[in-house]
Amino acid sequence: MISLFGTIGLSGQAAPWFIAAPPWVTSWLTPLWISGLGVLAGLLFLALIWGVVALFSRPAAAEVPRAIREGPLSWIFVVACLWAGFGLASTAVVREPGELLASLGRLPFTGTRTWDFDIGAEDAQREIAVSYRRDELRRLELKSDVDLTIRASADPDTDRYAKIDVTAEEEVSWGAQKAARSTPDEISSLYVWNRSGTPGKLHVVVGTAPRHAEVLTAAITAVALVGLFLLYFLQRLLMPKLAAISLTTTKSELAQPIFLICLALGIFLLILFIFLPYQTLDEEIKMLKDSGLTLIRVLAIVVALWAASTSVAAEIEGRTALTVLSKPISRWQFILGKFSGITWTVVVLFVVLGCVFLLTVAYKPIHDSREMTEDMPSWQICHLEMVGAVPGLVLGLMETVVLAALSVAISTRLSLLGNFSICSSVYVLGHLTPLIVKSSLGQLEPVAFVGQLLATILPVLENFDIQPAIAGGRPVPYEYLCMSLVYCMLYSTVAMLLALVLFEDRDLA
């Protein structure tokens, strides 16, 4: 049995505006161009929303430039513009940008579709409306309770197109790599012959993707950028008092020397990691990912703990909090505003260092191939490595938010030294929680009780570590990211409730 789709060919022709460049430049810059296209699309969509708002409310539209000029959005906006500009500047060295744009336009028309058909007993040639493009087909599944023959042509005597024989109650499934014969470039119908003489049902599943499926990165990037900006604007709109405290906290922490030091140190080390010899026998890229993600996470946690101590504990001890609360601001708005400001500070750090990290990850395969005089990797490989590191950044941000929430709760009662000591212990034990629980199984009852108690109270930070996935070369499923986000939100909510309880009866005088 042979499937109804053919192999997917790749054109090697360059665009008319293509500038001759070393192969490594094209391999490195093409993934960045795709993501830069998404950033540009996100910025244009935000500009469109701003224009629509201006038609209905000029005062509300006037707040947008003011919000972008100050606070966390100023950093994020500058990084987004630089990334989009860098991507646009790379257009001249990207091969086949027209085909990549065409694949981007096909995104809304691809995906997984299913059909169910009733096949009559006397159907000697039944036309069924199953449509797809040959070069976009990735998966074809057929299942029936009767014996069928399926062709792409209405003529049963022609051998121009291959046929599929479907046996009753047996599922027929192929991936694109098993294609053996070509079919028309675009199929709008298939033709079914019932070989059993009895009526039955046919279930068809067709999975399609654009010719260059990597363009999905542009769409996800645009959605993420728009979502981040809208989240900030919604906070300012729905919770103005809390947003004011958050903005003040963020501006203060972004100007702190420790933030700038961590930022500069992170950029320097991330670039240095490219050239460090890890001596791991073809595992250099995995070591780079693990080292870079750990570095960004640790630096962000240091910034979060310092910000919580200086903006909460220091203000309580210095009576600044009493001055703030003398205004029409409640205690819960003060605490949640501080937590929000610290979170936005951490987001800025992750955005800046994350962009540098993705640049280094995309370049690392090229550097390794040049060092070992191997064939230059394609841009698809560089793109795959770069995209594979993004879930690690997202999970690292979630872990930092959890520790920031705990740090804010602790800072309502303890100073900088106590905050650092407790949160450092939580960080270590949180990553060892699964090992502690596993080791306590079968032990004495007090030991098992302590293990279960630690697992219940402490956050399971190991859930935010993708080192096993990096080591095994496996992608992180979207479902896992969603479950981790739910866990992050739940634990942060519990930590904030604890902070409110501890702060409610705190004597500020």
Side-chain angles (χ1 to χ4, degrees):
M1 294 185 298
I2 302 173
S3 65
L4 295 176
F5 50 86
T7 56
I8 301 173
L10 294 177
S11 172
Q13 297 180 354
W17 56 82
F18 179 76
I19 296 177
W24 70 267
V25 175
T26 301
S27 297
W28 181 44
L29 294 183
T30 301
L32 308 181
W33 180 82
I34 294 175
S35 57
L37 199 65
V39 173
L40 179 62
L43 293 175
L44 292 177
F45 187 76
L46 289 171
L48 177 62
I49 295 177
W50 179 53
V52 172
V53 172
L55 294 176
F56 296 95
S57 175
R58 290 188 178 275
E63 284 292 323
V64 174
R66 188 178 301 112
I68 293 178
R69 286 195 301 267
E70 58 183 9
L73 288 192
S74 61
W75 289 73
I76 298 174
F77 182 73
V78 169
V79 172
C81 291
L82 290 176
W83 192 277
F86 187 69
L88 287 178
S90 305
T91 304
V93 298
V94 173
R95 288 187 178 274
E96 305 174 349
E99 290 193 7
L100 293 174
L101 290 174
S103 295
L104 184 61
R106 289 292 302 170
L107 273 177
F109 307 101
T110 56
T112 300
R113 292 177 291 174
T114 60
W115 293 270
D116 289 289
F117 301 99
D118 293 321
I119 306 300
E122 305 299 328
D123 284 346
Q125 179 181 311
R126 165 77 183 279
E127 182 179 1
I128 57 176
V130 175
S131 59
Y132 58 84
R133 288 188 177 184
R134 181 185 64 188
D135 60 348
E136 294 179 349
L137 189 61
R138 298 296 181 268
R139 180 167 60 99
L140 178 63
E141 297 178 1
L142 302 166
K143 188 174 182 179
S144 176
D145 53 1
V146 294
D147 296 338
L148 303 175
T149 296
I150 302 177
R151 292 178 179 271
S153 171
D155 185 2
D157 298 325
T158 182
D159 59 354
R160 180 180 178 184
Y161 304 124
K163 69 175 182 177
I164 298 178
D165 290 326
V166 181
T167 305
E169 304 301 337
E170 291 186 6
E171 183 176 342
V172 179
S173 178
W174 290 279
Q177 69 276 12
K178 293 185 178 180
R181 292 189 183 180
S182 62
T183 61
D185 291 339
E186 187 169 354
I187 291 180
S188 58
S189 299
L190 296 177
Y191 299 89
V192 181
W193 282 262
N194 190 338
R195 295 185 284 111
S196 64
T198 58
K201 295 183 179 296
L202 173 63
H203 180 69
V204 182
V205 178
V206 174
T208 58
R211 180 175 179 180
H212 296 288
E214 294 83 2
V215 297
L216 181 62
T217 302
I220 296 176
T221 303
V223 171
L225 181 65
V226 172
L228 190 63
F229 272 72
L230 292 182
L231 180 63
Y232 184 82
F233 288 130
L234 284 176
Q235 176 183 298
R236 289 175 63 105
L237 177 64
L238 300 179
M239 296 174 287
K241 294 181 180 180
L242 187 150
I245 298 175
S246 174
L247 176 60
T248 303
T249 303
T250 304
K251 292 172 65 175
S252 174
E253 298 307 323
L254 290 177
Q256 291 290 331
I258 190 170
F259 176 84
L260 301 177
I261 291 173
C262 288
L263 185 64
L265 180 63
I267 294 175
F268 172 76
L269 291 179
L270 288 173
I271 297 175
L272 180 63
F273 286 165
I274 300 177
F275 308 100
L276 288 180
Y278 293 98
Q279 306 298 334
T280 53
L281 299 176
D282 298 332
E283 301 292 334
E284 303 279 319
I285 184 66
K286 295 180 180 179
M287 291 299 299
L288 173 68
K289 288 182 180 180
D290 189 48
S291 302
L293 291 173
T294 303
L295 173 67
I296 296 174
R297 184 172 65 244
V298 171
L299 291 177
I301 291 173
V302 170
V303 170
L305 299 185
W306 181 275
S309 299
T310 56
S311 64
V312 179
E315 289 194 11
I316 293 176
E317 294 176 358
R319 305 295 189 269
T320 306
L322 182 61
T323 305
V324 175
L325 293 173
S326 63
K327 301 176 182 180
I329 294 178
S330 60
R331 294 199 174 202
W332 71 268
Q333 290 174 327
F334 178 81
I335 288 296
L336 294 183
K338 291 295 182 181
F339 172 66
S340 175
I342 295 170
T343 301
W344 281 111
T345 303
V346 169
V347 168
V348 170
L349 187 68
F350 263 90
V351 168
V352 178
L353 293 184
C355 289
V356 177
F357 176 63
L358 295 180
L359 288 171
T360 61
V361 171
Y363 180 74
K364 184 61 176 176
I366 299 172
H367 176 266
D368 292 344
S369 65
R370 299 176 73 182
E371 288 290 315
M372 294 181 287
T373 63
E374 296 178 350
D375 293 337
M376 187 62 57
S378 64
W379 70 264
Q380 287 88 347
I381 293 178
C382 296
H383 176 273
L384 181 64
E385 297 292 352
M386 184 183 76
V387 171
V390 174
L393 292 171
V394 176
L395 291 172
L397 176 60
M398 295 179 191
E399 178 179 347
T400 307
V401 170
V402 169
L403 288 174
L406 282 175
S407 180
V408 170
I410 295 170
S411 296
T412 58
R413 293 289 179 169
L414 300 178
S415 61
L416 175 62
L417 182 59
N419 187 14
F420 261 89
S421 301
I422 295 177
C423 289
S424 299
S425 302
V426 170
Y427 177 79
V428 174
L429 293 175
H431 281 281
L432 295 177
T433 299
L435 182 61
I436 293 173
V437 174
K438 185 177 180 180
S439 301
S440 64
L441 295 177
Q443 301 296 323
L444 296 175
E445 186 173 347
V447 177
F449 173 76
V450 172
Q452 292 296 332
L453 180 63
L454 291 177
T456 303
I457 297 177
L458 297 178
V460 186
L461 300 180
E462 191 66 16
N463 292 337
F464 302 110
D465 189 2
I466 66 165
Q467 199 280 333
I470 293 176
R474 300 186 302 272
V476 179
Y478 290 114
E479 294 81 4
Y480 186 84
L481 293 177
C482 293
M483 293 300 298
S484 299
L485 177 61
V486 171
Y487 180 80
C488 171
M489 294 175 64
L490 290 176
Y491 202 95
S492 300
T493 301
V494 172
M496 283 295 96
L497 292 175
L498 176 62
L500 294 175
V501 170
L502 295 175
F503 188 63
E504 186 64 29
D505 60 348
R506 177 68 190 270
D507 185 10
L508 303 179

